[in-house]
Amino acid sequence: MSAGEKAKAKAEQVKGKLKKAMGRAAVDDPMVVEGQAGKSKGDARQAKEKIKDMFKH
């Protein structure tokens, strides 16, 4: 996984986790859902990059 893509994936995961936590603290259900979606997007990006790396070697 390239360093740039790895950083993007991690940033999306962290951003999603923070948004989800803020939504829970504020009892804001739409924000919780957006946070989970962001985290999932980061997880998917990270999985994609790991699969790409497996086929490179």
Side-chain angles (χ1 to χ4, degrees):
M1 180 181 321
S2 71
E5 289 298 315
K6 186 176 183 179
K8 285 180 187 178
K10 196 60 163 174
E12 283 185 49
Q13 289 172 329
V14 170
K15 184 178 170 185
K17 283 182 182 180
L18 287 173
K19 196 172 217 180
K20 185 176 176 182
M22 288 173 51
R24 283 192 176 158
V27 190
D28 185 359
D29 290 334
M31 186 180 276
V32 172
V33 171
E34 285 179 30
Q36 182 59 45
K39 182 183 176 307
S40 296
K41 185 177 176 184
D43 291 343
R45 182 185 296 249
Q46 187 175 34
K48 178 190 81 168
E49 291 301 319
K50 285 182 180 181
I51 289 170
K52 282 175 36 180
D53 284 347
M54 284 183 354
F55 286 104
K56 283 184 180 179
H57 297 267

